[in-house]
Amino acid sequence: MKNSEKQGQVNATQGKATDTENIKNNAKINIVEPAPDAATDLKELFVDSLKDIYWAENALVGALPKMAANATSPGLASAILEHLDVTKLQISRLEEVFDLVGEKAEGKKCEAMAGLLKEGDSIVLETTPGPVRDAGIIAASQKIEHYEIATYGTLVAFAKTLGENDAAKLLTQTLAEEKEADCVLNDVALNTVNAVAAE
């Protein structure tokens, strides 16, 4: 390695160290004081996350019929309505998980899902009925699916770490369903909707 290359690596490393030190020195202004009811262990965080996704799934039950009604692609409307039925089963499964971990099934407003649903409403308002709106509905739906995939993946990991293996199995089923829903939406987009919307 040439001396100039070595010096470049040294300078890059020193630059990163300086950046890290600056962030640490300024971090005091970014420190967040926990809420009085903040989770203090992984079990509490797990239960809090369950409440979050329970709220989210119930909110989706209210939102999916509107998405389906505004879709003009029969394949898209069908995919959304099929996922509505799956979502209802997922809610029942979450109630089983709550029971398994000795907690009452209750929701806590999921700000992420609320934001995603609001964005979905905006997309419907900002597109004309037809393939362009369908493409927008798919985009909004896939953002929701990706959020759910991330959430259920985390919940499975938490459950396994906590030794809640039966809960992990149930959550893994839901994770697989969310991945499948994302694939179905992708197929509808790539095989029909996007091409027609581009015309």
Side-chain angles (χ1 to χ4, degrees):
M1 182 181 288
K2 295 178 182 176
N3 285 340
S4 60
E5 290 175 349
K6 286 181 183 176
Q7 187 59 44
Q9 288 179 346
V10 169
N11 290 342
T13 303
Q14 288 173 344
K16 287 180 186 174
T18 302
D19 289 345
T20 302
E21 195 57 38
N22 288 337
I23 290 168
K24 285 181 180 178
N25 289 337
N26 293 324
K28 291 175 185 164
I29 61 171
N30 296 317
I31 299 297
V32 176
E33 287 299 319
D37 61 346
T40 58
D41 60 29
L42 187 63
K43 173 76 179 282
E44 288 180 11
L45 181 59
F46 175 61
V47 171
D48 192 59
S49 299
L50 285 174
K51 291 177 181 180
D52 205 57
I53 198 65
Y54 187 66
W55 185 96
E57 296 290 19
N58 278 287
L60 264 179
V61 166
L64 289 174
K66 183 178 179 181
M67 286 181 168
N70 282 282
T72 53
S73 160
L76 176 56
S78 175
I80 292 169
L81 291 175
E82 283 176 25
H83 195 61
L84 174 61
D85 291 336
V86 171
T87 301
K88 290 175 183 176
L89 290 174
Q90 291 171 345
I91 290 169
S92 296
R93 198 177 291 137
L94 279 171
E95 290 167 353
E96 285 184 63
V97 172
F98 275 110
D99 191 50
L100 284 169
V101 299
E103 296 287 337
K104 179 184 174 187
E106 60 183 353
K108 174 183 172 185
K109 185 175 182 181
C110 174
E111 298 294 345
M113 183 61 77
L116 289 167
L117 293 175
K118 185 176 179 182
E119 183 177 346
D121 287 342
S122 295
I123 286 173
V124 171
L125 283 171
E126 294 165 6
T127 53
T128 55
V132 173
R133 180 177 282 176
D134 288 350
I137 289 171
I138 291 171
S141 298
Q142 286 194 286
K143 287 180 185 182
I144 290 167
E145 291 306 327
H146 291 188
Y147 173 73
E148 290 182 303
I149 289 166
T151 299
Y152 282 109
T154 299
L155 287 170
V156 168
F158 284 175
K160 286 179 178 178
T161 301
L162 292 165
E164 298 285 357
N165 296 325
D166 290 337
K169 286 177 188 173
L170 291 173
L171 294 164
T172 298
Q173 282 181 264
T174 300
L175 177 59
E177 290 166 352
E178 301 298 5
K179 289 179 179 178
E180 175 62 23
D182 184 52
C183 288
V184 169
L185 288 166
N186 207 44
D187 287 345
V188 173
L190 295 177
N191 293 330
T192 56
V193 170
N194 288 358
V196 178
E199 291 175 356

